């Protein structure tokens, strides 16, 4: 017994003669997965999707657990301000624009859904793919200062628990160091293609919200 409801010879046509896998794969090239460091306040950790203090590669509703330590190649960077609201999500990449400055100002307001900071284009050899990493909290922005000298080079990401003696809060933050491990990189053509797209985003870009972005500055 078959569960075929429509005969196969009726479902095709000249446009379906192309490779479905090739076409489907091309649909995902417009946006990249996001690297995130998941802390104890993350919804994903509460839901058991990933452990606390671990890096994860997020796309849509899926998260790939990359562990507490990760080797990457830092390919490029750009400024980014992000506003997550009920009526949509806005991204701006011009740190002198009115929208960027407004989002930056609002990022100090608790639960505003606003954040800003450098966003990096990474190559992750273990996953054989490019990804973005938005370092948008106070803690991440401080550590991001170590990233700029490493653009074009390999780096190791680790995680640390931050426990300030003057605060009753604890949270996780990234630790970035140079990496001496030989890493494989994609072709120059692939790198150029990704950098060109990364450096030429739409003026306002709608994208999926990061589960760990609460809008709080830490």
């Amino acid at each position: 017994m078959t569960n075929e409801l429509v005969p196969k010879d009726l479902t095709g046509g000249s446009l379906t003669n192309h490779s479905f896998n090739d076409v489907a794969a091309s649909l995902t090239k417009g946006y990249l997965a996001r690297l995130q460091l998941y802390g104890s306040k993350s919804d994903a950790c509460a839901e058991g999707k990933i452990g606390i203090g671990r890096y994860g590669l997020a796309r849509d509703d899926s998260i790939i657990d990359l562990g507490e330590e990760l080797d990457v190649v830092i390919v490029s960077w750009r400024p980014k301000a992000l506003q997550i609201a009920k009526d949509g999500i806005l991204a701006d990449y011009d740190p002198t624009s009115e929208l960027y400055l407004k989002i930056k100002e609002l990022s100090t307001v608790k639960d505003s859904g606003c954040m800003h900071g450098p966003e990096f284009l990474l190559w992750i050899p273990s996953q054989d793919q490019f990804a973005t990493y938005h370092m948008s909290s106070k803690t991440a922005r401080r550590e991001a200062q170590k990233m700029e000298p490493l653009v074009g080079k390999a780096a190791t990401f680790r995680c640390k628990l931050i426990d300030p003696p003057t605060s009753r809060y604890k949270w996780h933050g990234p630790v970035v160091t140079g990496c001496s491990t030989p890493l494989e990189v994609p072709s120059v053509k692939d790198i150029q293609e990704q950098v060109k797209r990364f450096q030429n985003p739409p003026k306002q870009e709608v994208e999926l919200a990061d589960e760990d972005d609460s809008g709080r500055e830490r």
Side-chain angles (χ1 to χ4, degrees):
M1 185 174 180
T2 179
N3 61 356
E4 185 177 85
L5 301 179
V6 180
K8 197 71 174 177
D9 57 354
L10 297 182
T11 64
S14 61
L15 297 180
T16 61
N17 291 331
H18 302 281
S19 167
F20 178 84
N21 289 337
D22 289 345
V23 174
S26 69
L27 297 177
T28 66
K29 292 184 178 180
Y31 71 101
L32 300 174
R34 309 176 310 276
L35 182 69
Q36 289 180 229
L37 175 58
Y38 289 86
S40 59
K41 300 299 183 181
S42 169
D43 290 343
C45 293
E47 294 166 2
K49 295 180 179 179
I50 190 170
I52 297 172
R54 301 177 71 84
Y55 286 95
L57 199 59
R59 187 196 293 276
D60 298 330
D61 293 328
S62 66
I63 300 174
I64 299 175
D65 187 344
L66 302 182
E68 299 177 350
E69 184 174 316
L70 177 66
D71 292 335
V72 305
V73 178
I74 304 174
V75 180
S76 186
W77 80 275
R78 64 188 180 189
K80 183 176 182 179
L82 190 67
Q83 180 184 48
I84 301 174
K86 292 182 179 180
D87 56 350
I89 301 172
L90 294 177
D92 193 276
Y93 305 89
D94 179 1
T96 64
S97 73
E98 182 179 351
L99 176 59
Y100 193 106
L101 293 174
K102 184 63 175 178
I103 293 174
K104 182 178 179 179
E105 178 184 356
L106 290 173
S107 68
T108 60
V109 179
K110 182 179 178 181
D111 298 329
S112 66
C114 293
M115 59 208 75
H116 73 95
E119 182 175 52
F120 292 88
L121 175 64
L122 307 176
W123 169 254
I124 304 180
S126 65
Q127 300 300 309
D128 195 33
Q129 64 177 290
F130 291 94
T132 59
Y133 182 30
H134 192 198
M135 303 185 79
S136 58
S137 68
K138 285 183 179 180
T139 300
R141 287 197 299 271
R142 283 193 291 268
E143 195 67 15
Q145 296 179 37
K146 300 178 182 178
M147 299 269 284
E148 196 274 335
L150 293 174
V151 171
K153 302 176 183 179
T156 298
F157 292 172
R158 297 181 178 87
C159 173
K160 66 178 178 181
L161 179 64
I162 299 172
D163 184 11
T166 58
S167 174
R168 59 191 179 93
Y169 296 107
K170 300 179 184 180
W171 63 91
H172 291 83
V175 177
V176 180
T177 59
C179 174
S180 59
T181 302
L183 301 179
E184 294 186 3
V185 296
S187 68
V188 172
K189 181 180 178 181
D190 287 342
I191 293 174
Q192 288 176 329
E193 178 182 339
Q194 291 295 338
V195 170
K196 182 178 180 180
R197 182 180 294 117
F198 183 74
Q199 290 294 338
N200 294 277
K203 186 174 182 180
Q204 293 185 353
E205 179 180 282
V206 177
E207 57 182 57
L208 294 177
D210 293 345
E211 291 186 10
D212 203 36
D213 286 336
S214 63
R216 294 184 180 183
E217 287 274 4
R218 285 187 179 174

